Amino acid sequence: MGRIGLRRDLLTVLLIAFVIATLASLPLFDRLHGLSIDVLTWLRWRTVGQLHDPAKSPTTVVALDEETYRRKPFAGTPSITWTPAMAKALTEVVDAGAKVVGFDVIFPTSLEQSEIPLGTTTVGERLRGFDREFLRALSAASRQGKLVLGQVQHLHKPIQPFEAQRIAVGNYKNIRPLNLHADPDGVVRRVPLSFDVDDKRTMSMAVELALRAAGEEALAANYGADLLTMSRVHQGPRNTLTLNFDGGADDIPTYSLADLVACAESGNKEYFRRQFKDRVVLFGALLDVEDRSVASKRFATGIEGAKAERCLLPYEPGDNAFARDSIAGVYVHATAVNNLIRGDALREPGHLTKWLINFVASALAAALALRSNPLADTARVAALAAVWIAIATWAFTHAFALPLVEPIMAAFLSLSTMIAFRFMVADSDKRLLRSSFALYLSPTVIDRMLATNTLPRLGGETRAVTVYFSDIAGFSKIAEGMTPGDLVALMNEYLSAMTDTIESHGGFVDKYIGDAIVAVFGAPADDLDHAGNAVRAALACQAKLGAMNKAALTVFAGVEIKQRVGLNSGDTLVGNIGSRRRFNYTVMGDTVNLAARLESANKYYGTSIMASDATVALAGDAIAWRELDTITVVGRATPTRIFEPLDGNDVSLKSTELARQAYAEGLTKFRSGDFAGAAGAFGRAAGSDPPSAAFLARALEFAADPAKPRSDVRVLDDK
């Protein structure tokens, strides 16, 4: 039955793991992998901090921010009128040695195109030449290969710079798409690498800027030919790059356009050289509500602002100085450029790898739930989840995005499924067994029996056990002096206390015979130390009874109870024994009979606990003993050496060491036939040691009549 159950459990674990891993790996749950990237970004930021020094960022941002809108000459004017000022900033940035400049801001119209009537003419006619400086700056930068304008691809017509700007930069030679890639949950975690524009493959803004800044060879060294052929990068979604955001809001140095324009007008070229030499510079909006994206750093954002080193104007935090889950779109492109140049874009495992991770997580959780209780199972799976979180966070610091949410979800789903399976199928036989044994086995013994998977065979089996037999000394006299109600109350109190003590040491109470208790150690659950546990239970029962006598409980008032215990170990018939219609789990055999005889034999020696040599041999040196005698009981031909445990609080066990030595000396002389010498030795201890007093009488009797038949073995002819 054990092998069948093990095989069934193993197949169940594998089946549950396969089904749940497959379910967790379905495209339906792709959002969970995106959530894993978001959570890992936050965990890495909180545990490791930013991976890169912002001062060494390959990319910087020139922000059209709230500060720019509030300062002169920009305040109160639409951004379409800012082109002359932007021309100054662009020229200074390019002249300072920037590698390339990208525009994440699009001017699809110009004041020079306006047809709004103004007097006898139009606004456009009146402002002809207004954008000349801006167009010259664009043309000069593009001729050096240092300028890329952005456009947004659209189903019908792209949003692109107005015609004069396109001409100034050489048309599509220096214009690239700005479109982003949003996952099904609306979160930006990847950027496209290329687009099809007019049936021609065109690189995205981020790839174009990275190629111009680092060169094809550098990017090919980081990513191989896949990037340059726009086919696939790191097994992510086709034609996309998975972004690896640093946490916080200061990872990319950001400058306010207003401060740069003021700096350009002041002629501080050294400032521009110090801030922008050999950098990729992105012009973009940094506003409270416009051009914002919820990205994979949504849990790891900070308070945005143009907080890089200032030239002239002091930094003024915006009115909304708090972290939000969205970031300015320009930071998405800037991060993509940094990832491409550094070679640290996130790598994502393939579908098979993710399935295997989910399968292993599910299998481990299901296996852990096979034997323990649900609370312990949940704690173990939670511990495994914590370990996996640590591993995934460490891998994320090396730009590898292991699945996080999916395997944890799969593990707990597998745990729940296995617990349900155990309740409905696997544990049904155990529940039946528990209910069957509940009335005559302690919960502790039942739990041990189920934990060891050792179940008794119906009809009986031979087991090595220790039998515990106890009785109340002088019970008939006690019963005569009490009313039936008081006697029942006393016995209930006594039997309950003794039963609890026995069961706490691993035994089970077989039956009550009046005031007698028959208990077994070593069955039905295996117990390698059944003899030692039985002795310790007997000593504990004596101590408990002594405490109850001293406490003068109501049911014990005026009555002092003394108990005698017999212990014997050996092979015994154990099982469900009885008629076809009624049976009981019990023990039978010579081992039980001898234990009962030893209990009765205590009265001859004045002891409270007596054990056979078989029990002493199994209990070992962990318990101190003294040999009492060698006896033969009626019905057994083999003599039995009997012993008394010396540990405990019973009166009979309080003999001094000298008294015990005197007893041992007397027993030796008694067996050698020196009865006078034995009487002398027993006499030294008889006043305090009941066994010595009992042997003293025998020694004196034999010493007075040397001709009287005698034997070294005492024969007991009654129970």
Side-chain angles (χ1 to χ4, degrees):
M1 184 175 70
R3 289 185 177 181
I4 295 175
L6 180 62
R7 189 179 298 112
R8 180 197 63 188
D9 291 344
L10 178 60
L11 290 175
T12 302
V13 166
L14 295 177
L15 179 61
I16 290 176
F18 178 84
V19 172
I20 292 179
T22 303
L23 179 64
S25 302
L26 291 176
L28 177 66
F29 295 99
D30 280 348
R31 293 188 179 191
L32 294 178
H33 183 62
L35 180 60
S36 296
I37 295 176
D38 305 346
V39 173
L40 287 169
T41 302
W42 175 81
L43 283 171
R44 185 185 64 188
W45 178 46
R46 289 301 185 187
T47 56
V48 180
Q50 290 183 335
L51 295 180
H52 304 286
D53 181 2
K56 298 180 180 179
S57 170
T59 305
T60 61
V61 169
V62 175
L64 284 66
D65 57 352
E66 301 290 347
E67 177 185 352
T68 302
Y69 275 89
R70 292 196 303 266
R71 290 188 182 273
K72 293 182 179 181
F74 307 99
T77 63
S79 58
I80 197 175
T81 66
W82 298 358
T83 53
M86 294 185 67
K88 297 177 182 179
L90 173 60
T91 299
E92 293 296 335
V93 167
V94 173
D95 290 347
K99 288 186 175 181
V100 63
V101 178
F103 269 74
D104 184 36
V105 57
I106 301 173
F107 295 103
T109 60
S110 169
L111 285 176
E112 296 184 30
Q113 294 178 313
S114 175
E115 297 182 0
I116 297 176
L118 182 61
T120 59
T121 183
T122 63
V123 172
E125 289 292 335
R126 288 289 184 93
L127 296 179
R128 191 71 63 194
F130 181 82
D131 289 330
R132 186 174 295 116
E133 292 183 21
F134 185 55
L135 295 174
R136 287 176 176 173
L138 294 178
S139 177
S142 62
R143 285 198 302 272
Q144 300 177 54
K146 292 188 174 184
L147 180 70
V148 181
L149 296 183
Q151 71 175 22
V152 176
Q153 296 301 113
H154 196 270
L155 291 177
H156 303 291
K157 185 177 181 181
I159 302 174
Q160 56 188 351
F162 77 95
E163 185 178 3
Q165 291 182 15
R166 298 198 302 272
I167 294 173
V169 300
N171 289 312
Y172 290 107
K173 177 182 178 181
N174 293 302
I175 299 176
R176 295 293 181 267
L178 291 168
N179 299 65
L180 299 178
H181 175 89
D183 286 349
D185 57 0
V187 178
V188 174
R189 300 184 180 94
R190 303 167 181 86
V191 293
L193 296 173
S194 65
F195 299 87
D196 290 326
V197 179
D198 296 330
D199 297 327
K200 182 180 179 181
R201 180 61 60 88
T202 302
M203 296 182 184
S204 67
M205 169 70 79
V207 174
E208 183 66 33
L209 294 177
L211 284 171
R212 295 194 185 190
E216 286 192 9
E217 291 184 2
L219 264 64
N222 289 337
Y223 296 100
D226 282 343
L227 174 68
L228 304 180
T229 58
M230 301 299 118
S231 59
R232 178 182 289 270
V233 174
H234 291 323
Q235 302 182 20
R238 188 170 184 81
N239 195 34
T240 62
L241 183 84
T242 305
L243 295 164
N244 187 2
F245 286 98
D246 255 346
D250 301 323
D251 52 324
I252 297 176
T254 302
Y255 304 84
S256 174
L257 176 64
D259 183 52
L260 294 185
V261 171
C263 190
E265 292 174 348
S266 71
N268 190 349
K269 294 184 178 296
E270 176 58 26
Y271 172 83
F272 281 94
R273 188 195 66 78
R274 189 169 63 250
Q275 303 301 325
F276 299 105
K277 181 177 175 57
D278 296 328
R279 296 284 189 93
V280 176
V281 183
L282 273 164
F283 281 72
L286 179 56
L287 304 174
D288 292 337
V289 294
E290 296 180 27
D291 190 24
R292 302 194 66 84
S293 299
V294 177
S296 52
K297 68 178 295 184
R298 54 182 169 150
F299 303 134
T301 58
I303 300 174
E304 295 176 341
K307 294 178 282 187
E309 179 186 342
R310 311 286 284 193
C311 179
L312 290 177
L313 305 180
Y315 172 64
E316 296 182 358
D319 296 333
N320 296 324
F322 57 87
R324 293 179 287 177
D325 62 350
S326 62
I327 60 174
V330 67
Y331 289 130
V332 176
H333 298 290
T335 298
V337 174
N338 280 352
N339 291 163
L340 287 165
I341 293 176
R342 290 170 175 159
D344 64 354
L346 290 179
R347 291 165 290 166
E348 300 179 68
H351 292 296
L352 178 59
T353 302
K354 288 191 286 188
W355 183 89
L356 287 174
I357 292 173
N358 292 334
F359 178 81
V360 171
S362 301
L364 284 175
L368 287 175
L370 276 175
R371 293 290 179 262
S372 303
N373 62 71
L375 288 179
D377 298 338
T378 303
R380 290 188 179 94
V381 173
L384 283 178
V387 171
W388 180 248
I389 289 172
I391 293 173
T393 303
W394 174 83
F396 203 75
T397 62
H398 295 79
F400 192 69
L402 289 172
L404 179 70
V405 178
E406 311 99 288
I408 293 177
M409 179 201 73
F412 279 99
L413 183 58
S414 180
L415 171 69
S416 302
T417 304
M418 178 56 75
I419 290 175
F421 169 78
R422 280 177 49 187
F423 180 80
M424 292 185 294
V425 180
D427 289 351
S428 59
D429 54 345
K430 294 183 179 180
R431 289 197 300 273
L432 176 61
L433 185 67
R434 188 182 297 274
S435 63
S436 300
F437 279 86
L439 296 179
Y440 52 94
L441 286 183
S442 73
T444 303
V445 175
I446 295 177
D447 290 340
R448 289 177 57 194
M449 181 173 62
L450 297 179
T452 58
N453 202 29
T454 304
L455 307 181
R457 297 197 303 267
L458 294 178
E461 59 180 331
T462 300
R463 298 281 292 273
V465 300
T466 295
V467 178
Y468 173 110
F469 202 103
S470 73
D471 204 352
I472 294 178
F475 178 72
S476 298
K477 185 176 180 180
I478 294 173
E480 288 177 359
M482 301 184 70
T483 65
D486 291 340
L487 182 61
V488 170
L490 182 145
M491 290 307 301
N492 287 342
E493 191 73 25
Y494 165 77
L495 293 174
S496 295
M498 298 302 102
T499 299
D500 291 343
T501 304
I502 291 170
E503 291 180 346
S504 68
H505 286 78
F508 89 90
V509 174
D510 177 4
K511 61 176 69 71
Y512 305 111
I513 307 173
D515 61 310
I517 301 174
V518 181
V520 179
F521 292 78
D526 289 334
D527 183 358
L528 296 178
D529 191 24
H530 55 83
N533 286 330
V535 176
R536 284 184 282 271
L539 293 170
C541 285
Q542 292 290 348
K544 178 67 175 178
L545 186 57
M548 294 173 70
N549 283 322
K550 291 179 181 179
L553 300 174
T554 302
V555 294
F556 275 28
V559 178
E560 182 178 1
I561 295 181
K562 294 184 178 180
Q563 182 190 58
R564 296 190 296 260
V565 179
L567 302 172
N568 185 34
S569 303
D571 291 339
T572 307
L573 179 63
V574 180
N576 286 318
I577 300 171
S579 69
R580 295 186 183 90
R581 293 186 296 108
R582 184 172 181 176
F583 54 83
N584 186 36
Y585 187 81
T586 187
V587 291
M588 298 178 62
D590 181 62
T591 302
V592 183
N593 297 332
L594 182 56
R597 298 297 181 89
L598 296 182
E599 175 275 315
S600 179
N602 278 288
K603 61 187 178 183
Y604 294 107
Y605 298 89
T607 54
S608 296
I609 303 174
M610 184 180 294
S612 68
D613 49 357
T615 299
V616 173
L618 291 174
D621 297 334
I623 299 171
W625 300 90
R626 71 165 168 179
E627 184 177 359
L628 290 174
D629 201 356
T630 301
I631 64 173
T632 298
V633 299
V634 174
R636 297 184 93 245
T638 305
T640 301
R641 296 171 65 194
I642 56 175
F643 295 79
E644 177 189 27
L646 298 181
D647 303 316
N649 298 315
D650 190 79
V651 174
S652 66
L653 304 178
K654 290 183 176 178
S655 305
T656 65
E657 182 64 26
L658 291 176
R660 295 170 185 172
Q661 292 176 0
Y663 184 88
E665 179 186 344
L667 184 62
T668 300
K669 291 183 177 182
F670 185 90
R671 288 175 172 172
S672 67
D674 183 5
F675 300 113
F682 289 131
R684 296 199 306 270
S688 61
D689 185 38
S692 295
F695 251 106
L696 175 61
R698 293 175 63 193
L700 291 174
E701 179 183 354
F702 289 137
D705 186 5
K708 183 176 181 179
R710 58 188 181 272
S711 172
D712 293 341
V713 179
R714 186 171 189 172
V715 180
L716 301 181
D717 56 2
D718 63 334
K719 177 187 173 187

